[in-house]
Amino acid sequence: MAIIEKRSVQAKKGKGEITITHLLTPQELADKCSMFAKVTIPPGASIGTHFHNGNTETYHILQGEALYNNNGEEIKITAGTTTFCPDGEQHGIENIGSDDLVFMALIINN
């Protein structure tokens, strides 16, 4: 597996910084997807709640505990959980555990 790009950012006005490890190039995604990546969120950090317009996003949790915001409804999730945010809806995620939260993120364009 080749790591295409690894960067730390503050995501969608969330708390702290997260690390996004992109696994496919834009050419490999071929305009069908915007992102396929492993995301690592340290304890206490988050991706702020944000809308998806023109695409959908799926998270598959590999490690850790999170508070997932699904259109304003907060749900505690753990490893093995898969979430889906349809086009026109909103979501966010916060690491509420003591270890890193690690998940795969896939954004599919409409």
Side-chain angles (χ1 to χ4, degrees), residues 7-20 40-48 93-95:
R7 61 189 171 104
S8 295
V9 297
Q10 182 183 30
K12 308 292 183 184
K13 298 184 181 177
K15 296 185 257 181
E17 285 194 350
I18 69 168
T19 300
I20 300 173
T40 303
I41 302 179
S46 67
I47 297 174
I93 192 166
E94 179 178 356
N95 183 346

Side-chain angles (χ1 to χ4, degrees), residues 13-14 25 37 57 66:
K13 298 184 181 177
T25 66
E57 186 166 25

